[in-house]
Amino acid sequence: MMKSAILSLLLASASAFAPASQTAQRVGSVSLNAEEMSKSIPFLVRPEKLDGSVPGDMGFDPMRLSDIQTDLNYARWSEIKHGRICMLAIVGILVQQAGIHFPGDAYTNTDIFGAIKSVGWGPNLQIFLFIGMVEASTFYKHYADGTPGDIGWGTNELTKLDAKEQFKRQEQEVVHGRLAMIAFTGAIVQTLLFDKPLLG
């Protein structure tokens, strides 16, 4: 009895996320062309704001979050920033577990969570101060009309390319960032569940 009650509650809560408006659109209009359908989920209608004009846009928004956002620039900035952080994090985890580290006993811990504790307050504080300085110097760009992810560092190699090649390179960064976010999540889950290093 209890199991069936829990199952019915789970099904009821899952139905709250079902895109009812899309179903109505599909039933009401029999002739939807391929451009109106999402590239990533071909059986769903593509959200209006996800028209493929920005790098990495595959029309993936099954919960229709883009409909409630007035400006997707902030979301694009967030995705690129989190992707870059996860690319650094997963490479750092793999390098540390491969045995490459700074000299000193404090830096030899290969456990993802234990390493934070073993290095002490000094290095952790330096990292947080650096992150804070980067955030403070670039936060205003999140709401500007510039290119998401362009914090003004590095060379101008990308600007020397034509528009099509620039779009391709920007899309590659977004895709690699998404892969790194999945890899980082997998690394954390594996460490929590099995308490084993990634390499081994």
Side-chain angles (χ1 to χ4, degrees):
M1 178 71 175
M2 186 65 152
K3 288 182 182 177
S4 59
I6 291 173
L7 181 62
S8 63
L9 286 172
L10 286 173
L11 290 174
S13 64
S15 66
F17 296 103
S21 61
Q22 292 183 11
T23 309
Q25 284 178 319
R26 294 204 53 171
V27 171
S29 88
V30 190
S31 61
L32 286 175
N33 60 26
E35 287 150 13
E36 293 175 351
M37 305 307 286
S38 170
K39 277 173 35 178
S40 60
I41 311 174
F43 56 86
L44 291 182
V45 177
R46 174 183 53 79
E48 186 180 340
K49 292 180 183 173
L50 302 182
D51 57 3
S53 61
V54 297
D57 177 9
M58 305 296 173
F60 181 80
D61 188 11
M63 293 178 64
R64 308 288 289 196
L65 296 175
S66 60
D67 292 344
I68 60 173
Q69 289 187 316
T70 55
D71 182 17
L72 290 182
N73 226 20
Y74 182 80
R76 291 175 60 209
W77 263 100
S78 295
E79 181 179 28
I80 290 170
K81 184 190 296 184
H82 287 94
R84 287 173 177 171
I85 291 167
C86 285
M87 284 189 273
L88 284 170
I90 196 68
V91 169
I93 290 168
L94 294 173
V95 166
Q96 178 76 5
Q97 291 185 355
I100 303 166
H101 53 78
F102 290 122
D105 289 339
Y107 302 102
T108 58
N109 193 342
T110 58
D111 178 44
I112 296 173
F113 301 108
I116 298 168
K117 185 179 177 183
S118 66
V119 296
W121 283 99
N124 284 317
L125 189 60
Q126 288 176 359
I127 291 168
F128 282 117
L129 285 174
F130 176 73
I131 292 169
M133 289 188 317
V134 171
E135 286 294 311
S137 64
T138 61
F139 79 96
Y140 66 93
K141 293 186 176 190
H142 291 58
Y143 304 99
D145 292 331
T147 305
D150 182 12
I151 57 176
W153 295 3
T155 62
N156 293 326
E157 291 299 317
L158 202 59
T159 57
K160 296 176 185 175
L161 304 172
D162 63 1
K164 188 177 179 183
E165 193 64 27
Q166 281 184 28
F167 189 90
K168 180 182 171 187
R169 298 287 175 91
Q170 290 169 342
E171 190 164 74
Q172 286 173 342
E173 181 183 24
V174 171
V175 170
H176 290 138
R178 289 173 182 165
L179 180 62
M181 287 187 271
I182 294 168
F184 179 74
T185 304
I188 296 297
V189 169
Q190 177 176 323
T191 304
L192 288 172
L193 291 180
F194 303 112
D195 198 21
K196 292 181 179 177
L198 302 181
L199 302 174

